[in-house]
Each structure stands twice: as structure tokens, then as C-alpha cells.
Amino acid sequence: MPPRLSLVVSALAISGSHAFAPSVVGAPCTHASSTELFASPIATVKKQIAGLNKDNFSSTLSEIEPFLLNDAGVSIYKKSMKRISNAAKALGEDVPEGYALAAKATEKRRTKQDAFIQQKEAERLEAEAAAAAEAEEAAAAAAAAEA
């Protein structure tokens, strides 16, 4: 092998063997892993819900509530509320009335539902008014037929 080629081969062999190996065993890591320092709020909430017991039930719910109200998406909100209610049943506790009810995740659904209910109520009142008017007209016609 020519000297130049052997030099290139040996350089590649050395660099290739160290490319995927940790730098130094026992040396402190200079970069933080995302799973070590920056646990997602979702993972934190899931762990807190999984760790619910009679002693920490109300304090954990008060810690979780701001996340559920402001940051949780619809899926995480629904799943968390279901997990909390299941844990409460298993522990013999009660979830506070109206707990995390005004969540940002459910705001769109709540406004849509309120608009639907208002529309149905208006239709019902209109139908009642029309029925009352018909009954009044029928009574007037009956009174006129008797006279």
C-alpha cells in the first residue's frame, strides 16, 4: 500500500471508531438531555395523577388545576379528568364540584353548546307563543260561533 493511502485509511479508522463513542468515561456531561432537565408539563401532570393517594389528593389537584385550565389541550384535558375521577373513586374521595370546569381547551365547545341551547330555547318560546295565539284564535272563533 502506498504511504499516502495507508495514512488516509488509518485516519478514517481512528475517526470512525470514535465517532459514536462517548467522549470520556466518568467525565461530566456538558449538555443536558431534554428528558433529564426539561420534563414536559404533560408528563409531570400524568405522574402526579398516577401518584394520587388519600394524603396528597387535594394538594395535587390544586397543583394540577392551573395546567388543566390554561395549558392542556382537549385530549389531555379529557384524559386527565377521567384519570382524576377514576383515582378519586378508587380512593373514596370526591373531585370538587366544578373542578377545572372553565378550561381553555373546552371553551370553544362550551360557547357552541351555549349558542345551541339559546337557539333551541328561543324556538321553544316561539312555538309556545304560536300555540297560545292559535288557542286564543280558536277560543275567539268558538265564542263567535256561539254568538
Side-chain angles (χ1 to χ4, degrees):
M1 222 195 266
R4 213 165 140 190
L5 183 60
S6 65
L7 183 64
V8 171
V9 169
S10 64
L12 287 175
I14 291 172
S15 66
S17 66
H18 294 291
F20 300 106
S23 57
V24 176
V25 176
C29 185
T30 57
H31 68 286
S33 171
S34 64
T35 57
E36 290 174 1
L37 294 180
F38 307 110
S40 74
I42 296 171
T44 305
V45 167
K46 283 182 179 180
K47 284 180 184 176
Q48 287 177 325
I49 293 171
L52 282 174
N53 58 39
K54 280 190 176 268
D55 299 331
N56 69 1
F57 188 77
S58 59
S59 64
T60 302
L61 289 185
S62 62
E63 289 176 22
I64 293 171
E65 190 170 21
F67 171 78
L68 292 175
L69 289 174
N70 302 320
D71 301 326
V74 174
S75 296
I76 293 300
Y77 175 80
K78 284 181 180 179
K79 290 175 184 178
S80 297
M81 292 302 290
K82 183 179 256 186
R83 288 178 181 138
I84 289 170
S85 68
N86 289 341
K89 284 181 188 175
L91 296 172
E93 297 281 336
D94 290 325
V95 178
E97 187 69 30
Y99 176 74
L101 196 58
K104 199 185 289 186
T106 60
E107 186 176 358
K108 185 176 179 181
R109 181 179 56 89
R110 283 183 283 126
T111 56
K112 189 175 179 181
Q113 181 70 18
D114 290 342
F116 176 77
I117 289 172
Q118 288 174 355
Q119 178 187 359
K120 288 296 182 182
E121 185 66 21
E123 289 175 2
R124 183 187 64 82
L125 291 174
E126 187 178 299
E128 284 179 1
E134 267 185 41
E136 205 173 285
E137 285 178 14
E146 286 181 17

